[in-house]
Amino acid sequence: MASEPSSSQTPQEKEEEKGFASFTRSIARRTTSVLARLSFARSSGQRGASVESLRGTSGADFESKGTVERCATGFSFFGGNSIDRSVYVLIKGPFCFVFKSETAQSPKYAIELARMMAEIKDSSSGTVTVALQSNLGDDEYLFKFATADDKDIGKKFVDEIKKQAAAGEAEIVRKRLGHEALANKHASMKFAENIAMKKVKDQPEKPIGTSEVMQNMPIVPM
């Protein structure tokens, strides 16, 4: 436990002690971040990127327990869409991370939110379902959250996705123009980006749907 400044300290000594405490906390945060990066790299992405690590010092932009469903384009063949019945969802900047649980050591996968949209599909029976869509309007994922503790959680999720999708698109433009260095990012945001770039490839494959089948059907001459 940090000692309280002595009443006999001068104002200058009190300021110096506060400054030292702030410096110590900063060093501890940086050390934790470096150790997390090393752990993530050494474990091939299986640990070192926990919910707590991704929150960082600035916190997450959204987080909640829920379920997630990977959508097919059109009617799904071969057993329907892929559903995770219990996940922990965290948005940090223009990325959505899906964890097995809040205590998992690394996300199962990440979704880049640039050029994505979201809308509430259904709100009933104590839950709200939000579709994460491509810029063409196709449902890519369906997220479902309980509304017992927060009746506005669906709207908050949609609003955050819209905000971070715009931020992600702006970042793409900055990179294209060579202005990436002008962005003032927290260390925790840089860490989240690094994790996301490795985890987007782990997204579940899209189930085969009618649209894909029709696109690949050979045209039989009449």
Side-chain angles (χ1 to χ4, degrees), residues 15 27 40 48 74-75 95 98 101-102 113 175-176 187 192-193 196 218:
E15 288 302 316
I27 292 296
F40 184 82
F75 177 79
F95 303 99
V98 177
S101 69
E102 189 176 0
L113 297 177
K175 288 180 179 179
R176 187 183 303 139
E193 286 184 355

Side-chain angles (χ1 to χ4, degrees), residues 29 51-63 90-93 97 160 164 186-189 192:
R29 287 195 297 266
V51 168
E52 184 177 359
S53 296
L54 285 172
R55 285 175 185 147
T57 57
S58 55
D61 296 300
F62 174 92
E63 55 182 292
L90 181 147
I91 294 178
K92 179 80 172 185
F97 298 89
E160 195 59 47
Q164 298 303 338
H186 289 285
S188 61
M189 187 64 251

